[in-house]
Amino acid sequence: MSQTVLYAYPGACSRVTLTALEEAGAPYLDRWIDIRADQQYSPDYIAQNRKAKVPALSVDGKTLTENPAILFYLHQSLPDAGLLPRSGDLFDDARGLSDLAWCASMLHPMVRQIRNPKKWTKGDVSGIAEDGLEKLNKEASFVEKTLSKSTWWYGEQWSIVDVYLYWVFSTAAKGAFNMEDYPALAAHAERVRARPSFQRALARERAAVTDNKLNIDASKL
Ligand SMILES: N[C@@H](CCC(=O)N[C@@H](CS)C(=O)NCC(=O)O)C(=O)O
């Protein structure tokens, strides 16, 4: 029987993949990699994922890394889950992958600049967080325009991109990003959190904090 294992950390970007698995109702095991304790560099984990990051998804012993690739794989292998729009037009449907790549390669690094500027330089950190904040605010204004006219990123249809956008902006809001400047984004965040698959993912993260004695305030997840 096929076995799927998600390597994750509570509150990290692996939460997007975790929510995708919950949305799909697919059976999977979770393994929690304590990235605050540098467990991502342990020989056991490096053997799974030489990049030393979460998420990673192992299926029958083979490992896939990078959120967009994992989410696209889940979208293709679990078509009933509705993780991304599917119109049948190859060009239009590539937009889902494009938006996942945007979240991972453009927005996520801005969040890192804001929250963890030391990871960007071996020298002076001045200006790194400010630069990230300026860039993220520009992206937030763009997202705000769309969300002020629709329930979800793709109109009336929920998708995993909504969860990714939520993760980006809510994580940045734990730093200097002010979600209150963006009322549609803030309302969208409430809708994302209310979705049952998100709540199940959150419950799984909270259980992981307790079971693995992780140094995280579970009430802030
Ligand atoms: N490009 C990767 C980025 C993954 C990533 O940066 N994950 C963070 C958690 S949000 C991580 O594992 N950080 C550990 C570290 O940087 O040491 C993806 O999109 O999956």
Side-chain angles (χ1 to χ4, degrees):
M1 202 175 114
S2 158
Q3 191 182 56
T4 300
V5 182
L6 175 68
Y7 295 87
Y9 181 73
C13 59
S14 50
R15 173 182 283 183
V16 186
T17 318
L18 187 63
T19 308
L21 285 162
E22 288 296 333
E23 182 77 25
Y28 68 99
L29 302 173
D30 51 33
R31 296 277 181 274
W32 301 93
I33 304 301
D34 189 348
I35 59 175
R36 278 199 195 163
D38 282 348
Q39 212 183 346
Q40 68 275 36
Y41 301 112
S42 69
D44 278 359
Y45 190 60
I46 291 287
Q48 282 294 328
N49 177 8
R50 62 150 201 95
K51 296 173 181 167
K53 304 273 181 199
V54 293
L57 189 80
S58 158
V59 179
D60 295 337
K62 291 194 292 183
T63 303
L64 193 59
T65 60
E66 303 297 330
N67 246 322
I70 299 170
L71 295 168
F72 189 68
Y73 163 75
L74 293 175
H75 167 61
Q76 295 286 43
S77 59
L78 302 164
D80 293 343
L83 296 177
L84 292 170
R86 197 189 293 273
S87 70
D89 181 279
L90 198 56
F91 193 88
D92 288 347
D93 288 351
R95 185 177 162 205
L97 185 55
S98 167
D99 286 339
L100 294 178
W102 167 55
C103 291
S105 67
M106 193 164 161
L107 303 183
H108 185 164
M110 293 172 190
V111 177
R112 228 164 170 231
Q113 269 184 267
I114 295 167
R115 300 224 37 228
N116 215 342
K118 279 194 289 217
K119 291 239 175 178
W120 281 80
T121 176
K122 291 198 187 306
D124 182 8
V125 296
S126 63
I128 293 177
E130 290 80 356
D131 177 69
L133 190 58
E134 191 181 311
K135 288 174 175 154
L136 193 69
N137 272 309
K138 211 167 147 195
E139 295 301 300
S141 302
F142 172 71
V143 174
E144 176 77 3
K145 264 191 214 140
T146 297
L147 291 179
S148 59
K149 286 181 274 177
S150 67
T151 309
W152 305 112
W153 181 243
Y154 298 122
E156 291 315 300
Q157 185 187 350
W158 173 95
S159 77
I160 201 65
V161 175
D162 290 290
V163 183
Y164 219 149
L165 289 172
Y166 165 81
W167 181 81
V168 162
F169 292 108
S170 65
T171 306
K174 290 180 183 156
F177 177 74
N178 192 0
M179 183 94 84
E180 281 161 23
D181 291 343
Y182 302 96
L185 205 54
H188 173 259
E190 295 299 318
R191 289 194 289 279
V192 170
R193 281 187 79 91
R195 190 149 176 115
S197 57
F198 185 95
Q199 286 296 317
R200 289 195 295 274
L202 200 56
R204 210 141 162 163
E205 286 188 343
R206 288 194 170 131
V209 171
T210 312
D211 296 349
N212 299 276
K213 299 187 177 53
L214 298 174
N215 182 19
I216 296 176
D217 180 350
S219 69
K220 296 206 171 121
L221 283 171

